[in-house]
Amino acid sequence: MNLSLEELGWNSTFQEHFDAVNDGTLVPARVIRENRGEYIVNTGERVGVARLPGIERLGKLDSAAYPTVGDWLALEEIAGGEDFLVRSFLPRASLFERKVVGESTRHQSIVANFDSLFLVTGLDEDFKTSRIQRYLSLAWNSRRELVIVLNKADLRDDLPEVLEAVEKVAGEVPVHAVSAHDRSSLECLFGYLGKGRTVALLGSSGVGKSSLVNAFLGEDRLPTQQNRAADGRGRHTTTWRELQMIPSGGVLIDLPGMRELQLTGEGDGVVKAFEDVEELMLRCKFRNCRHDGEPGCAIEAAIESGELDASRYQQYVKLNEEHAVAHARREARDKAIAARRRQIKVKEGVAKKGKMKRLGNANRSRKLIEGSEE
Ligand SMILES: Nc1nc2c(ncn2[C@@H]2O[C@H](COP(=O)(O)OP(=O)(O)OP(=O)(O)O)[C@@H](O)[C@H]2O)c(=O)[nH]1
Ligand SMILES: [Mg+2]
Ligand SMILES: [Zn+2]
């Protein structure tokens, strides 16, 4: 099959970025899978393996400085071989990243250049609207179209009630109930795909992300959890991220289930996901109202009247605290980076040549900074 780049999501913006770095010898390609520092790429004509040049493969740097699934790369063909060398990765139209588990400020790039993000939940016994809220506030910073997908609708006979509860927390975000076991139920999602559009699936393990991708593909290409035996529960079936072309048009990116969801402290995710709560707060009598027994408190009044769910308000408070902590960390990190950048500029004036010279600019300063901390 000879796939055109457009079908993989290529557009005039990427073309411009590519032209700016292309010295006439490079080819564009999209990362369809990542494998321990190697990138499986699709050039539109063929699938190959791309590697980063030398030092960047050490694996100790902040992964935000590396290409990830969905990225567009400018590659150099290695003469006589199947393989490519990564010369540059093109600026991203969107990025979903998360904090590295157990570390305070490092981030992992999860997926890049998607148009929509499906926030997938399973309507089985684990179903909780609070989890949807959490995903919403996490995903908001990606600044892309969000869609709430409630999978396993076949397991419920109280769908109208469930939908009503989810729509309450969803705000403007569209909600769709589907079943991966019933292809006809997926029709409501086709509108988000289509030629050149990329959708990434985000959600906990076992909600049916891979099953949904298979249903769109029309074949069991991706492994799915075989049964929910006691020892299989909570295990991750998908352990890598992978981009798939859908026969009817568009690209789906399957992601492993996320166990640890942590806010990155960037943007205004919490505010956007809880606009109704913030809106209410503006109506409190006192500007510094702590919503704790103060007279004229709009939050307390709304909880009392049933307009605002007490648990939703608590969720907001909790997420806000988490966000504030993450934000403070992020600021400290940015300050440290700015300081290092100034130092490096001075050093660069002295020693101009180095291995890092081959890298793209934005990429380069970031790596120098992170690398020098080791
Ligand atoms: N009843 C029902 N079961 C489903 C549906 N979709 C998926 N499942 C089942 O749910 C289990 C988990 O599905 P997966 O597709 O492996 O889930 P996943 O989200 O990819 O999980 P990870 O790869 O671990 O993140 C499998 O046993 C599926 O058969 C559905 O619509 N209805
Ligand atoms: Mg999976
Ligand atoms: Zn108040």
Side-chain angles (χ1 to χ4, degrees):
M1 202 174 13
N2 186 352
L3 307 161
S4 82
L5 280 179
E6 282 76 22
E7 276 168 3
L8 265 169
W10 188 249
N11 60 34
S12 57
T13 311
F14 291 127
Q15 183 70 52
E16 271 169 35
H17 291 316
F18 178 74
D19 291 343
V21 296
N22 188 15
D23 56 11
T25 64
L26 306 183
V27 287
R30 194 163 195 193
V31 178
I32 58 172
R33 185 167 161 175
E34 195 191 324
N35 193 11
R36 294 175 181 274
E38 289 182 347
Y39 301 94
I40 313 299
V41 294
N42 191 331
T43 66
E45 275 166 12
R46 68 181 176 101
V47 172
V49 179
R51 292 185 182 81
L52 291 166
I55 189 166
E56 298 75 31
R57 278 200 284 155
L58 291 175
K60 285 182 185 164
L61 313 178
D62 191 325
S63 82
Y66 287 104
T68 190
V69 173
D71 263 321
W72 284 101
L73 308 177
L75 303 175
E76 179 185 323
E77 269 179 285
I78 299 173
E82 294 270 283
D83 293 359
F84 301 96
L85 201 62
V86 179
R87 287 277 296 272
S88 170
F89 72 93
L90 307 183
R92 293 154 169 166
S94 60
L95 176 69
F96 183 76
E97 57 171 10
R98 67 164 181 170
K99 258 169 58 71
V100 172
V101 174
E103 292 195 38
S104 55
T105 56
R106 297 226 283 189
H107 290 72
Q108 183 186 15
S109 303
I110 304 289
V111 56
N113 299 322
F114 51 88
D115 300 293
S116 311
L117 205 49
F118 284 180
L119 307 174
V120 187
T121 344
L123 291 177
D124 38 19
E125 47 318 347
D126 296 338
F127 175 73
K128 282 195 205 92
T129 52
S130 61
R131 188 172 294 139
I132 293 175
Q133 275 167 11
R134 205 175 159 76
Y135 272 102
L136 274 174
S137 58
L138 263 176
W140 210 276
N141 296 332
S142 71
R143 314 220 171 265
R144 275 295 180 271
E145 178 177 52
L146 303 180
V147 181
I148 295 171
V149 176
L150 308 172
N151 188 33
K152 311 195 188 186
D154 53 295
L155 298 178
R156 302 297 279 231
D157 42 25
D158 59 344
L159 262 188
E161 287 89 337
V162 171
L163 277 171
E164 197 185 325
V166 175
E167 269 157 7
K168 242 184 183 171
V169 303
E172 308 268 279
V173 178
V175 183
H176 299 284
V178 300
S179 169
H181 292 173
D182 170 14
R183 281 196 77 193
S184 66
S185 74
L186 303 179
E187 241 161 66
C188 55
L189 299 179
F190 274 102
Y192 301 105
L193 281 157
K195 187 183 166 188
R197 285 187 56 88
T198 302
V199 176
L201 290 93
L202 190 69
S204 310
S205 194
V207 298
K209 298 177 297 297
S210 303
S211 305
L212 283 166
V213 176
N214 284 341
F216 275 104
L217 286 170
E219 61 173 293
D220 285 341
R221 193 182 296 171
L222 299 177
T224 57
Q225 197 175 306
Q226 283 314 305
N227 52 43
R228 289 193 61 118
D231 67 329
R233 262 195 86 138
R235 276 236 189 112
H236 294 241
T237 306
T238 304
T239 52
W240 61 88
R241 292 168 259 146
E242 186 162 354
L243 185 151
Q244 299 284 349
M245 313 262 314
I246 303 305
S248 54
V251 166
L252 280 178
I253 302 179
D254 188 26
L255 303 173
M258 307 221 117
R259 209 188 318 244
E260 292 224 25
L261 292 173
Q262 286 180 305
L263 297 166
T264 62
E266 274 177 342
D268 50 2
V270 174
V271 179
K272 286 289 187 202
F274 289 89
E275 252 168 358
D276 56 332
V277 178
E278 301 262 317
E279 182 77 37
L280 278 169
M281 284 178 171
L282 295 175
R283 286 191 247 144
C284 290
K285 186 169 171 195
F286 299 108
R287 265 183 68 186
N288 58 352
C289 184
R290 287 163 48 233
H291 325 296
D292 188 19
E294 280 93 342
C297 174
I299 293 285
E300 288 186 326
I303 290 173
E304 208 150 290
S305 73
E307 189 192 337
L308 174 65
D309 227 43
S311 66
R312 179 164 164 77
Y313 175 62
Q314 265 143 30
Q315 182 84 13
Y316 169 82
V317 171
K318 216 174 116 208
L319 277 172
N320 233 349
E321 279 165 3
E322 211 176 298
H323 199 258
V325 172
H327 185 72
R329 282 202 193 113
R330 182 105 201 164
E331 273 197 339
R333 174 200 190 223
D334 288 349
K335 261 191 203 153
I337 287 179
R340 279 300 290 152
R341 195 163 272 160
R342 281 194 296 274
Q343 257 178 295
I344 283 161
K345 268 200 182 146
V346 176
K347 271 193 203 163
E348 269 183 348
V350 183
K352 256 190 164 171
K353 281 183 185 164
K355 278 182 184 170
M356 304 301 255
K357 243 192 138 185
R358 271 189 288 176
L359 290 169
N361 262 341
N363 201 3
R364 177 164 152 247
S365 45
R366 215 157 166 185
K367 276 184 198 183
L368 279 168
I369 293 149
E370 301 282 344
S372 60
E373 284 169 6
E374 310 295 328

